[in-house]
Amino acid sequence: MKKLKKLFGITVVISLALCVASCGNKTAPRQLADSPAPEELADSVVGIASEELWTEEAVESQVRKMYDRLNSMGKDGTVKISQLEDEFCSSYYLGLRNAISKALENATGDGQLFGDEEAFRFFAGMGTPLEIETMKVDLLTGNMAQAQVRFKGADEEIGFMRLELDMEDNQWRVKNFDQPEVFGPGGYLKMMEDFANEHGISF
């Protein structure tokens, strides 16, 4: 994504330069004093991705936003897991979930989304409100990140979750919930993948 942004910025600058050259000695419209030069504009396009999105702070902000929404739902008495997933999870995660859900619906007639009852993947084994005590974010190779989050639950119990996130459409989205003592090696995503493979579900 970062390379694409940079390439786009370079293309814009080259196009503008060719346009100016083709105009010869024609008088160009007066540039407003506060308008950025093309080079500055190109740099700013790249800067948006690198400084505002590709940072530990951006990942942390998205994780906190997700758990703020979870706590808000818990306060109202109804936590809608599928709604949380639709808003905060990656396209790969959602595609896998939907493929399994469709296969189960065709087999049983039950239209419930796969995993709706297993809401524990969001809760880290605790009840709301979930307070984030500490969070450590690692930016990985490519458009991926990992957030290791330590929670305190409603009854003062302590929980831990490792979240894997992908950058999609200028937003960090959760790809995997990993809590080894609950999901086993590989996390919740691997549980879904194993289930799909075991039952011949294409995803």
Side-chain angles (χ1 to χ4, degrees), residues 1 5 49 52-54 58-59 61-63 65-66 69 84-91 143-145 165-175:
M1 179 64 73
K5 292 283 187 180
E52 295 183 12
L53 297 176
W54 189 252
V59 177
S61 175
Q62 182 70 350
V63 172
K65 181 180 177 182
M66 182 173 75
R69 184 66 55 85
L84 281 169
E85 289 178 330
D86 289 343
E87 184 171 354
F88 293 103
C89 288
S90 73
S91 58
N143 292 330
M144 298 181 292
L165 303 97
D166 285 344
M167 172 69 80
E168 292 184 356
D169 299 325
N170 293 330
Q171 186 176 21
W172 287 105
R173 295 183 176 273
V174 176
K175 184 177 183 179

Side-chain angles (χ1 to χ4, degrees), residues 63-64 66-72 74 119-133 149-161:
V63 172
R64 290 187 182 279
M66 182 173 75
Y67 280 98
D68 284 346
R69 184 66 55 85
L70 173 68
N71 286 333
S72 176
F120 53 78
R121 62 186 170 281
F122 276 93
F123 292 96
M126 298 175 292
T128 57
L130 280 182
E131 177 184 343
I132 295 177
E133 285 207 318
V149 190
R150 185 172 295 278
F151 301 94
K152 183 170 69 175
D155 297 324
E156 301 298 315
E157 69 269 51
I158 300 296
F160 174 81
M161 179 78 71

